[in-house]
Amino acid sequence: MNRKVTKAIFPVAGMGTRFLPATKSVPKEILTLVDKPLIQYAIDEAREAGITEFIFVTSRGKGALEDYFDHSPQLESELRNRGKTDLLDIVKGTNMDSGAIAYIRQHKALGLGHAVLCAQRLIGDEPFAVILPDDVIAAEKPCLKQMVDAYQETGGSMVAAMEVPREKAHAYGILDVDQQFGNLMPVRGMIEKPAQGTEPSNLAVIHRYILTPEIFKHLSRQKFGAGGEIQLTDAIAKEIELGRAVNGLRFEGQRFDCGSKAGFLKATISFALARDDLRDELLGYLHEFVSIDKAAQ
Ligand code: UTP
């Protein structure tokens, strides 16, 4: 099969209840780390990996997401007139070409696997990527690019993997792998949210995938799994059962779970500290804050 990956699915149909009340009117994916929405980090990562077609699986109330990717001629001309060329470049960098972006509705939140299934007709017969904007990964070489490069050698399907503490494994999809293979390893099995103590390893799936269209067959036949949802992990596990190659790539980089409040705050601090215009002031504040806190104890 062709190993060129040019399409990516972004499942963004969830309600984002952990960020209520903000998500009552603002999609979670528009929330910003410093000044850039989560979705822009995901799009930038996909572009750097060679993705040219962007498929969003959305739901009611996600209109702001569609507006975000529209061109904004009035804003652009205002910035041009005021000579704000830096800001103009930033705004232009968020524009998407007509036809490069598609929106599909998931009418009922039946799970991540179901969201991916909704995009079936737009994928056709080629491998594709899936990116969840909740997982933001800071890396010198973007995570999806690391995967696409490894995929040129391996083919099959691929999932991004990261070590997690054993006591937290029950919150993730966990890989059954032989870790002697190093960073790129064949996957023997996968289990979504294993009961404590039953996890086959401490390697968790992080939400970056390269999949083949065969996955849609499993998703369309699949029963509801963990949490009463149609799980993508179960469909990938089915591929493995059928003897198809699925590889795990332990990527290089730091992953932030921006679907949780603590993860979102950690990412905000980390991304702000990486910026020249914010670092000194923020670091000064953090030092001051920590010393006041210590003195109070
Ligand atoms: P989450 O489990 O984090 O759910 O979904 P959520 O609704 O976004 O957030 P909380 O838990 O209520 O705070 C993980 C990802 O899968 C997508 C979500 O949009 C999110 O990107 N998803 C989940 C769908 O697109 N459809 C679904 O049916 C479920």
Side-chain angles (χ1 to χ4, degrees):
M1 173 176 278
N2 159 28
R3 291 189 184 169
K4 208 161 158 35
V5 186
T6 60
K7 294 181 180 175
I9 300 175
F10 300 82
V12 291
M15 288 201 290
T17 53
R18 282 172 286 175
F19 285 90
L20 281 169
T23 44
K24 212 175 138 198
S25 67
V26 181
K28 175 170 66 175
E29 300 74 24
I30 295 285
L31 299 180
T32 57
L33 292 181
V34 187
D35 49 16
K36 199 157 101 171
L38 290 182
I39 193 65
Q40 189 66 50
Y41 288 91
I43 293 281
D44 291 348
E45 182 180 335
R47 273 186 173 146
E48 288 183 61
I51 300 297
T52 52
E53 290 184 55
F54 305 81
I55 301 163
F56 287 85
V57 182
T58 68
S59 59
R60 185 177 292 273
K62 299 276 178 169
L65 208 52
E66 299 189 24
D67 292 343
Y68 175 78
F69 289 113
D70 264 353
H71 289 218
S72 42
Q74 211 177 342
L75 174 64
E76 287 179 21
S77 83
E78 195 64 36
L79 292 172
R80 199 173 295 110
N81 292 342
R82 293 193 203 170
K84 302 206 165 186
T85 47
D86 289 358
L87 286 177
L88 182 62
D89 288 344
I90 290 172
V91 169
K92 280 179 153 179
T94 66
N95 291 346
M96 300 292 275
D97 293 336
S98 300
I101 193 159
Y103 302 94
I104 288 268
R105 279 282 171 116
Q106 184 190 26
H107 291 116
K108 230 175 172 186
L110 296 178
L112 176 59
H114 181 259
V116 170
L117 179 62
C118 290
Q120 177 174 15
R121 278 191 293 142
L122 293 175
I123 294 296
D125 192 24
E126 56 187 287
F128 60 96
V130 176
I131 299 186
L132 265 59
D134 296 10
D135 274 335
V136 176
I137 299 169
E140 215 163 285
K141 180 174 176 181
C143 178
L144 189 65
K145 173 75 176 141
Q146 294 176 41
M147 293 174 74
V148 163
D149 286 352
Y151 180 71
Q152 300 317 305
E153 308 296 321
T154 62
S157 300
M158 188 174 285
V159 298
M162 176 185 97
E163 278 175 26
V164 296
R166 287 257 173 196
E167 64 276 14
K168 295 199 172 150
H170 63 94
Y172 294 87
I174 297 290
L175 298 179
D176 180 1
V177 284
D178 190 340
Q179 297 208 31
Q180 63 161 346
F181 285 98
N183 288 340
L184 183 59
M185 59 215 116
V187 179
R188 292 186 296 226
M190 272 170 93
I191 172 159
E192 185 63 35
K193 300 189 174 57
Q196 202 120 36
T198 65
E199 66 279 355
S201 78
N202 67 340
L203 269 188
V205 176
I206 297 307
H207 295 298
R208 300 287 186 275
Y209 309 82
I210 296 175
L211 301 171
T212 61
E214 280 78 33
I215 203 80
F216 293 123
K217 255 184 273 163
H218 312 311
L219 287 171
S220 61
R221 289 184 201 141
Q222 207 167 292
K223 299 202 178 75
F224 293 97
E229 297 191 332
I230 295 184
Q231 297 287 355
L232 187 56
T233 308
D234 295 343
I236 301 172
K238 188 83 200 163
E239 279 284 277
I240 301 168
E241 256 176 65
L242 293 173
R244 306 229 173 83
V246 175
N247 290 288
L249 178 71
R250 202 189 327 222
F251 59 90
E252 283 174 23
Q254 190 179 3
R255 173 257 188 180
F256 296 93
D257 174 12
C258 292
S260 78
K261 285 192 255 262
F264 192 94
L265 291 170
K266 286 179 199 170
T268 301
I269 293 170
S270 180
F271 279 82
L273 288 176
R275 293 229 329 215
D276 292 342
D277 58 334
L278 295 170
R279 185 181 162 78
D280 291 347
E281 191 175 344
L282 182 60
L283 207 51
Y285 172 74
L286 290 174
H287 278 308
E288 202 181 310
F289 187 82
V290 170
S291 44
I292 292 171
D293 201 46
K294 270 196 183 146
Q297 279 171 11

